[in-house]
mmCIF file of all heavy atoms in Angstrom:
data_model
loop_
_atom_site.group_PDB
_atom_site.id
_atom_site.type_symbol
_atom_site.label_atom_id
_atom_site.label_comp_id
_atom_site.label_asym_id
_atom_site.label_seq_id
_atom_site.Cartn_x
_atom_site.Cartn_y
_atom_site.Cartn_z
ATOM 1 N N ARG A 223 -11.468 17.517 1.680
ATOM 2 C CA ARG A 223 -11.823 18.965 1.686
ATOM 3 C C ARG A 223 -13.314 19.059 1.883
ATOM 4 O O ARG A 223 -14.104 18.046 1.925
ATOM 5 C CB ARG A 223 -11.363 19.614 0.452
ATOM 6 C CG ARG A 223 -11.919 19.017 -0.878
ATOM 7 C CD ARG A 223 -11.161 19.559 -2.058
ATOM 8 N NE ARG A 223 -11.717 19.015 -3.334
ATOM 9 C CZ ARG A 223 -11.090 19.204 -4.508
ATOM 10 N NH1 ARG A 223 -9.948 19.945 -4.597
ATOM 11 N NH2 ARG A 223 -11.540 18.647 -5.611
ATOM 12 N N GLY A 224 -13.844 20.288 1.899
ATOM 13 C CA GLY A 224 -15.246 20.541 2.191
ATOM 14 C C GLY A 224 -16.110 20.223 1.023
ATOM 15 O O GLY A 224 -15.656 20.129 -0.196
ATOM 16 N N ASP A 225 -17.380 20.049 1.361
ATOM 17 C CA ASP A 225 -18.412 19.635 0.387
ATOM 18 C C ASP A 225 -18.494 20.591 -0.796
ATOM 19 O O ASP A 225 -18.903 20.201 -1.853
ATOM 20 C CB ASP A 225 -19.743 19.680 1.159
ATOM 21 C CG ASP A 225 -20.695 18.554 0.728
ATOM 22 O OD1 ASP A 225 -20.240 17.663 0.037
ATOM 23 O OD2 ASP A 225 -21.843 18.543 1.148
ATOM 24 N N GLU A 226 -18.144 21.840 -0.497
ATOM 25 C CA GLU A 226 -18.410 22.875 -1.553
ATOM 26 C C GLU A 226 -17.551 22.662 -2.819
ATOM 27 O O GLU A 226 -17.767 23.278 -3.819
ATOM 28 C CB GLU A 226 -18.133 24.312 -0.964
ATOM 29 C CG GLU A 226 -16.700 24.621 -0.528
ATOM 30 C CD GLU A 226 -16.401 24.238 0.852
ATOM 31 O OE1 GLU A 226 -17.181 23.405 1.498
ATOM 32 O OE2 GLU A 226 -15.472 24.753 1.463
ATOM 33 N N TRP A 227 -16.530 21.816 -2.675
ATOM 34 C CA TRP A 227 -15.619 21.596 -3.818
ATOM 35 C C TRP A 227 -16.059 20.375 -4.704
ATOM 36 O O TRP A 227 -15.380 20.142 -5.720
ATOM 37 C CB TRP A 227 -14.189 21.261 -3.286
ATOM 38 C CG TRP A 227 -13.597 22.497 -2.613
ATOM 39 C CD1 TRP A 227 -13.358 22.652 -1.282
ATOM 40 C CD2 TRP A 227 -13.240 23.687 -3.224
ATOM 41 N NE1 TRP A 227 -12.861 23.847 -1.019
ATOM 42 C CE2 TRP A 227 -12.733 24.603 -2.191
ATOM 43 C CE3 TRP A 227 -13.237 24.184 -4.532
ATOM 44 C CZ2 TRP A 227 -12.273 25.856 -2.428
ATOM 45 C CZ3 TRP A 227 -12.764 25.492 -4.783
ATOM 46 C CH2 TRP A 227 -12.342 26.303 -3.783
ATOM 47 N N VAL A 228 -17.160 19.750 -4.427
ATOM 48 C CA VAL A 228 -17.618 18.587 -5.234
ATOM 49 C C VAL A 228 -17.790 18.978 -6.688
ATOM 50 O O VAL A 228 -17.354 18.293 -7.584
ATOM 51 C CB VAL A 228 -18.915 17.963 -4.617
ATOM 52 C CG1 VAL A 228 -19.509 16.970 -5.606
ATOM 53 C CG2 VAL A 228 -18.712 17.315 -3.248
ATOM 54 N N SER A 229 -18.470 20.053 -6.946
ATOM 55 C CA SER A 229 -18.804 20.435 -8.288
ATOM 56 C C SER A 229 -17.524 20.809 -9.119
ATOM 57 O O SER A 229 -17.566 20.852 -10.332
ATOM 58 C CB SER A 229 -19.810 21.630 -8.303
ATOM 59 O OG SER A 229 -19.233 22.781 -7.675
ATOM 60 N N SER A 230 -16.438 21.180 -8.407
ATOM 61 C CA SER A 230 -15.178 21.529 -9.065
ATOM 62 C C SER A 230 -14.327 20.240 -9.417
ATOM 63 O O SER A 230 -13.456 20.262 -10.274
ATOM 64 C CB SER A 230 -14.318 22.415 -8.219
ATOM 65 O OG SER A 230 -15.015 23.629 -7.922
ATOM 66 N N THR A 231 -14.671 19.181 -8.686
ATOM 67 C CA THR A 231 -13.792 18.033 -8.812
ATOM 68 C C THR A 231 -13.714 17.381 -10.235
ATOM 69 O O THR A 231 -12.593 16.958 -10.618
ATOM 70 C CB THR A 231 -14.253 16.946 -7.768
ATOM 71 O OG1 THR A 231 -14.202 17.486 -6.514
ATOM 72 C CG2 THR A 231 -13.326 15.700 -7.799
ATOM 73 N N PRO A 232 -14.792 17.373 -10.983
ATOM 74 C CA PRO A 232 -14.656 16.834 -12.392
ATOM 75 C C PRO A 232 -13.582 17.584 -13.240
ATOM 76 O O PRO A 232 -12.884 16.954 -13.945
ATOM 77 C CB PRO A 232 -16.059 17.160 -13.054
ATOM 78 C CG PRO A 232 -16.985 17.368 -11.877
ATOM 79 C CD PRO A 232 -16.176 17.842 -10.675
#
Side-chain angles (χ1 to χ4, degrees):
R223 58 190 179 193
D225 218 11
E226 65 271 21
W227 295 109
V228 170
S229 60
S230 301
T231 304

